[in-house]
Amino acid sequence: MVKNLKVLIADDSTEFSKVSAKILNSYGMQVILSEKDGLKVLSKIKTEKPDVLIADVFMPNIDILGILDELSKMEQKLRPLVMALSSYANPRLEKEILEAGATYYFIKPFDINIMAERNGWQKSLKNTLLTKKLITL
């Protein structure tokens, strides 16, 4: 079971962010909201040290690819698992984002409950968190 899981959400829809926070909180996750601005997201990552980043692909100042590039320069144990959100289905962009280091790429709208229940990202996160010692076996 994952304990003290921190999720940072950066999306332009206040409604999506608030609903997502409520749902993820119901799964025992701590949620931090950020403005949809790549520079502010990077700042929150450094100060809040989230385990997961759920962010829109297209943001002012730095997009998700720029964020992934900056994260690649960080210590492995400090990097959050990244879930990219987009309103556009673009296989080429999706491939580029996943190759740059994102774990998942979601097309909006989607059901946040389904995302929260998915075992695949939780297994990826479990492997990441082993070095942070935030889980119990």
Side-chain angles (χ1 to χ4, degrees):
M1 168 185 276
V2 179
K3 291 185 178 181
N4 302 322
L5 183 65
K6 278 184 162 181
V7 179
L8 175 61
I9 298 176
D11 190 78
D12 58 350
S13 168
T14 304
E15 182 179 340
F16 170 82
S17 296
K18 287 182 179 178
V19 169
S20 297
K22 184 177 180 180
I23 291 168
L24 294 174
N25 282 328
S26 75
Y27 284 88
M29 300 176 199
Q30 177 188 354
V31 179
I32 305 151
L33 301 179
S34 175
E35 290 180 51
K36 182 184 154 181
D37 177 307
L39 290 175
K40 291 179 181 179
V41 170
L42 283 172
S43 177
K44 286 254 188 188
I45 289 170
K46 291 174 185 170
T47 59
E48 298 289 342
K49 297 177 179 43
D51 303 300
V52 179
L53 168 64
I54 300 173
D56 205 308
V57 169
F58 302 105
M59 293 181 277
N61 294 310
I62 300 175
D63 64 10
I64 199 73
L65 288 169
I67 288 175
L68 289 165
D69 183 55
E70 289 298 315
L71 292 178
S72 72
K73 299 171 189 172
M74 292 174 68
E75 262 187 83
Q76 178 71 34
K77 68 180 183 177
L78 299 177
R79 291 183 213 160
L81 182 140
V82 177
M83 297 181 175
L85 310 174
S86 180
S87 299
Y88 307 102
N90 181 325
R92 184 172 166 248
L93 179 62
E94 178 180 350
K95 182 179 182 207
E96 185 176 357
I97 289 169
L98 292 172
E99 287 176 351
T103 304
Y104 285 94
Y105 182 94
F106 292 97
I107 304 296
K108 295 189 278 185
F110 66 93
D111 187 333
I112 193 80
N113 281 296
I114 292 172
M115 187 217 63
E117 293 171 359
R118 284 257 162 100
N119 285 331
W121 76 269
Q122 292 179 21
K123 287 178 185 173
S124 296
L125 184 60
K126 182 178 178 181
N127 291 335
T128 302
L129 293 177
L130 283 173
T131 58
K132 292 184 179 184
K133 298 181 183 176
L134 292 175
I135 61 169
T136 58
L137 300 174

